[in-house]
Amino acid sequence: MRIHFLGATEDVTGSMTLVESHGVRLLVDAGLAQGLRADEINLRELPFDPQKIDLILLTHAHLDHCGYLPRLYKLGLRSPIMCTEETAKLMRVILDDSAQLLAQHENPKLQSFYDTSDVEKVFSHLKICQFHHSYPFKHLQISFHYAGHILGASSIKIQAEKSVLFSGDLGRFDDPLLTPPESAPAACDLVVMEATYGGRIRPMGMEAEINSFLVKVKEENRIGLIASFAVARAQTLLYLIHRFYRHHPEYELPLYIDGPMLMRANDIYKRYAHKTKDPQGLRDALDYFEKVEHFKLREHLKKSDKPKIVISSSGMLSGGPVMNYLESLQHDPLSILFLAGYQAPGTLGRAMGEKQSGLILNHKPFQWQGDIIQAESFSSHADQRELCSWVSSTKSPIVIIHGEEDSKKSLEQQLFPRQVTVAQKGMIYEL
Ligand SMILES: [Zn+2]
């Protein structure tokens, strides 16, 4: 078996790994690069012929794992894609949005990168898989293992003459909605694992961070704006906020959900609530708050100075309905922006979190006068301790991918004296 590391080797986006075994060629994930230099990376020529790929295995629905798939189908790929049912549903939301963003891209090459018809091709090639079943493909056996992280996320094991386990993105062990990822299967010959938080121990207190924000907004009669990723993060936030309000009704304020992508993700989380730790609590939370379904309500909210909370995407302020609120609330020193997660370099969210000056929004100078809270404890990734614990169930060698250089090095040191290789772009591992 030959494993070619094609993406997410230097950073945490653009996951793509090619596996070859006795003439079968398959890809594990096909994601878009995001953040700095993303356009250049996404437009690079592929080091393989998409028409010669026999199978795609998809770990989960995040854009940096599935966002390149429509491009492959545009280039002539016609192979099946194996993934879980929840991944398929969430991928629909992510890829529809991606096609829409590309259509508005200023670079003509990305404008024609793929469109909704290519997204449709992806969905006509899906093969839905269950956790813990073994699926034959030619001489291979493929199995999906629960990874936490977001609904449907999986680690994937490929068994040929030898076996390799791809971790995908692994969830945190104390996620409010999802149970911890199951440990790596003991019997495998190689583990390829992510290291997004490989160099960090995540601070405690996700709930404390959002709760103190809710209290501050209420006590000081302010307007709170929460910028959140539409998929997974928003549902976790809504669940936590609803739980806090249930226990502390004295702090409750009207809360509005704005964003079609976020609402579609809410519907999917509601439908699959039985796969979470608190199905009824989640359903109640997702039904409880008011949705901004008409532009008139949005215009009203933007003008009204009544205390309230709005949750909207995108999480890194790189587009989406949250931009409307940023623009209208920027001169109000009583508004508070809550950034509910990682802000990639090059995004407006990062610039605002770092209090940079000279910012531009919608081609106009932009300066946020209110407070900004950059939440530190929100992450859907396992941290260093959890990654080490996850992989301790097997004695196999490890290849580390999907992490910034420091994170990968730090995880490598932590795993010493195990046999660990840090993947480099283009590296080939013979198994
Ligand atoms: Zn992910």
Side-chain angles (χ1 to χ4, degrees), residues 12 59-65 149-150 153 168-170 194 196 380-381 402:
V12 299
T59 60
H60 67 290
H62 273 146
L63 187 70
D64 58 323
H65 291 256
H149 186 53
I150 64 171
D169 284 358
L170 295 165
E194 68 124 334
T196 313
S380 49
H381 285 270
H402 207 280

Side-chain angles (χ1 to χ4, degrees), residues 164-180:
V164 53
L165 177 78
F166 287 86
S167 71
D169 284 358
L170 295 165
R172 59 194 291 159
F173 286 21
D174 62 347
D175 191 286
L177 288 175
L178 301 176
T179 51

Side-chain angles (χ1 to χ4, degrees), residues 24 26 57 72-73 85 103 120 128 173 197 202 235 249 270 277 326 372 404 412 418:
V24 176
L26 63 89
L57 302 176
L72 291 173
Y73 284 83
E85 184 179 325
E120 290 311 318
I128 299 300
F173 286 21
Y197 271 61
R202 191 184 37 249
Q235 290 72 45
K270 223 160 69 184
K277 291 202 270 198
L326 276 185
I372 298 173
E404 288 174 10
E412 183 188 20
R418 292 186 64 160

